[in-house]
Amino acid sequence: MENVNMPGAAGGGNAREQVNVPAILLMVVGGLTILSALWGLVQAVTGSNASQMAEVLNNPDIPEQFKSYIGTASKIGPFGSLFQLVLGGLTAFGGLKMKNLESYPLAIAASIIAIIPCFGSCCCTGIPVGIWALIVLNKPEVKSSFRP
């Protein structure tokens, strides 16, 4: 039987089994975030949501403070989508590295990014997935199984 307590142990044994599902879920969360960011970029470039935005900003039932926030958010839309695209890519790539027991710091970073609700489209799924990944990553037998 393999020794999973040795750094870079071949195969990783039990550690590989422990990281498998949360790593795959991190890749899914990252992929969904990427898709959402690409959709946001398409909308920003084509202006396809301009009429809906005008309708929201002209609605008298919406308080002025929210209209101000919505207007500002719509102006930074393409940059927000690019930022979301980068963070989604990091989350997916970190999940891949976690699954392969490579780059422990990147796996930790991907887990933390998934937890922060403002950085992705999947905050409802990203929070539990990121927390689960962090719990698994902080187990000594998993931590020691990552390749340097």
Side-chain angles (χ1 to χ4, degrees):
M1 184 162 197
E2 298 172 1
N3 184 358
V4 295
N5 292 326
M6 292 180 58
N14 188 33
R16 188 170 303 277
E17 292 171 14
Q18 290 183 53
V19 300
N20 195 38
V21 175
I24 290 171
L25 291 175
L26 272 178
M27 290 186 279
V28 168
V29 167
L32 290 172
T33 302
I34 290 168
L35 288 175
S36 173
L38 290 173
W39 179 249
L41 282 172
V42 166
Q43 286 184 321
V45 170
T46 62
S48 63
N49 63 350
S51 63
Q52 294 148 343
M53 191 60 62
E55 184 179 321
V56 168
L57 293 175
N58 292 326
N59 186 340
D61 295 333
I62 297 177
E64 287 301 318
Q65 66 187 29
F66 292 122
K67 287 181 184 180
S68 172
Y69 173 75
I70 292 169
T72 303
S74 68
K75 291 176 187 169
I76 62 168
F79 301 108
S81 292
L82 286 173
F83 186 64
Q84 190 179 30
L85 186 65
V86 169
L87 292 176
L90 279 172
T91 304
F93 189 62
L96 178 64
K97 290 298 187 178
M98 179 178 171
K99 187 171 181 349
N100 295 330
L101 295 174
E102 300 172 347
S103 187
Y104 183 80
L106 184 57
I108 290 285
S111 302
I112 292 170
I113 290 169
I115 292 172
I116 302 171
C118 301
F119 291 163
S121 63
C122 305
C123 64
C124 295
T125 55
I127 292 171
V129 168
I131 291 171
W132 183 13
L134 283 174
I135 290 169
V136 169
L137 287 168
N138 281 303
K139 291 182 177 179
E141 67 272 15
V142 172
K143 195 174 189 177
S144 66
S145 294
F146 272 78
R147 288 176 245 179

